[in-house]
Amino acid sequence: MIDTAVLPATLGRLPGIIAEKYIDPGVLSGSQYPPLNALIDAVDPLPSHEPRWQMEPLRELFEEAMARFDGKRTQADAWLAPRLHASLRMTRAEAATPDIWNFISMIAAPDYVAWRHLGRSGRIQGTRFCGNQNVQTFSRLWWAGELFRNGSNYRTVEIACTYQDMLHTVLRLNIIHYRPIALAFVGLVEKQSQEDRQAISDNLNGLSTAIDLVGATQVFELMAPSAQPDDSALRHWISEAGQDPIQPNSLPAGPDDGQVPQKSIDALIPIFEQLLIDFSAEIRDRKTPKKSTSEDSDAD
């Protein structure tokens, strides 16, 4: 674990071009941490008067996760995602800035990155430190908290993050930024977990591919309308950062910026099920060798 006494009190922005210079073999093997002093010199600090940028609450979350899920690292995702989102209160535009995530992974919590993502090969993928929002260690969890929550309710985030394929595959889809679609994925997972839990991984991958091929967000929006999020409620929630300490054994409350109508979620689930059936049938047809006819033989 890193020496937290030498960490800055406030988060900041660390440019990727600087961060990537220090992702060397020692860092990727988990045998050493990035050089703190060299990195801090390149940091653009965030406003220290805003509680949401304070280092201490985040470090408490990371240390609790490492202690709580020692030996079962993947299970930490479902616990940490809603709490990270509720602690690090941002707009989507702010969260889309990789420099903040670079700071957290390289300065605030490289020990967590190593703990969570050091593979059997003895190596950490560099993208876990500085990568796309659906791969980077902390960015992917924050976005899972944002996209899979239903207003202030994080229960659906916990469900989504229980399945690694929701993070590995579903989170990559641009279409998932429309919340009724994200919550329909969660609803489908809930339904299938009661029927055939073993098939969920294949189904999520298949459905993701099928929906990606359809790629018609507007069609789904017509089938499953949802009100625009309440930006004033989001800003109010952000302004109250630090007033409600995160509890380890109970879910926090997210921004009360509007829930997706249940009828919109329910409208999409059977459509997704049919898409999966159709896609699976098409894949089976492709894998089934055609029997040659006499006409085929003549043509050859």
Side-chain angles (χ1 to χ4, degrees):
M1 191 172 294
I2 61 175
D3 181 4
T4 58
V6 299
L7 292 178
T10 306
L11 304 183
R13 297 184 180 92
L14 177 65
I17 193 170
I18 302 296
E20 290 170 2
K21 285 171 51 179
Y22 295 101
I23 303 177
D24 57 26
V27 171
L28 293 177
S29 69
S31 61
Q32 63 186 52
Y33 299 134
L36 184 63
N37 291 335
L39 290 171
I40 287 178
D41 287 342
V43 168
D44 177 21
L46 289 163
S48 59
H49 65 276
E50 294 190 43
R52 62 183 178 143
W53 303 130
Q54 297 304 302
M55 174 77 73
E56 186 177 355
L58 284 185
R59 277 303 313 180
E60 289 176 354
L61 284 181
F62 301 148
E63 290 170 19
E64 175 68 23
M66 287 188 283
R68 179 176 288 244
F69 298 98
D70 188 30
K72 43 188 178 181
R73 296 175 297 168
T74 59
Q75 295 181 28
D77 294 343
W79 182 89
L80 183 57
R83 291 168 176 83
L84 177 64
H85 185 272
S87 181
L88 195 54
R89 300 188 179 193
M90 296 188 285
T91 64
R92 290 190 181 190
E94 289 172 324
T97 305
D99 293 5
I100 294 175
W101 304 116
N102 295 339
F103 178 96
I104 296 175
S105 64
M106 296 292 287
I107 295 175
D111 53 341
Y112 186 89
V113 180
W115 173 82
R116 175 62 184 85
H117 291 295
L118 186 62
R120 294 178 181 176
S121 64
R123 189 176 184 276
I124 308 163
Q125 294 179 6
T127 52
R128 297 301 188 183
F129 289 98
C130 301
N132 294 333
Q133 65 184 34
N134 53 10
V135 176
Q136 202 268 0
T137 299
F138 304 107
S139 176
R140 73 188 189 119
L141 296 180
W142 190 95
W143 279 101
E146 172 64 13
L147 298 176
F148 291 116
R149 68 180 173 87
N150 194 356
S152 62
N153 190 345
Y154 285 117
R155 187 186 72 85
T156 44
V157 177
E158 277 193 318
I159 296 169
C161 294
T162 299
Y163 301 93
Q164 288 299 300
D165 286 291
M166 291 288 273
L167 295 170
H168 294 162
T169 306
V170 177
L171 202 59
R172 297 174 184 269
L173 302 175
N174 288 330
I175 204 169
I176 211 70
H177 285 250
Y178 186 58
R179 189 166 282 133
I181 294 176
L183 293 176
F185 264 98
V186 177
L188 185 62
V189 162
E190 275 194 293
K191 183 177 179 180
Q192 293 189 337
S193 67
Q194 300 169 9
E195 300 170 1
D196 185 2
R197 189 180 178 91
Q198 295 298 320
I200 288 178
S201 178
D202 289 340
N203 288 347
L204 283 174
N205 289 319
L207 180 57
S208 297
T209 303
I211 287 180
D212 203 27
L213 290 173
V214 173
T217 309
Q218 291 180 339
V219 173
F220 292 125
E221 288 176 353
L222 291 173
M223 296 175 178
S226 183
Q228 288 294 319
D230 183 348
D231 289 338
S232 63
L234 175 62
R235 289 193 296 271
H236 177 71
W237 178 75
I238 289 174
S239 72
E240 291 189 324
Q243 294 186 20
D244 298 313
I246 304 298
Q247 302 300 320
N249 296 318
S250 59
L251 282 174
D256 191 15
D257 56 354
Q259 287 199 326
V260 175
Q262 187 61 44
K263 62 182 180 181
S264 290
I265 301 171
D266 293 340
L268 287 178
I269 292 176
I271 294 171
F272 285 4
E273 288 177 317
Q274 189 60 50
L275 272 174
L276 180 59
I277 291 170
D278 294 343
F279 179 76
S280 299
E282 182 180 342
I283 294 299
R284 285 195 300 272
D285 288 344
R286 289 178 186 175
K287 291 182 177 180
T288 303
K290 288 179 62 179
K291 293 182 179 180
S292 62
T293 64
S294 57
E295 291 181 359
D296 292 332
S297 299
D298 292 339
D300 292 336

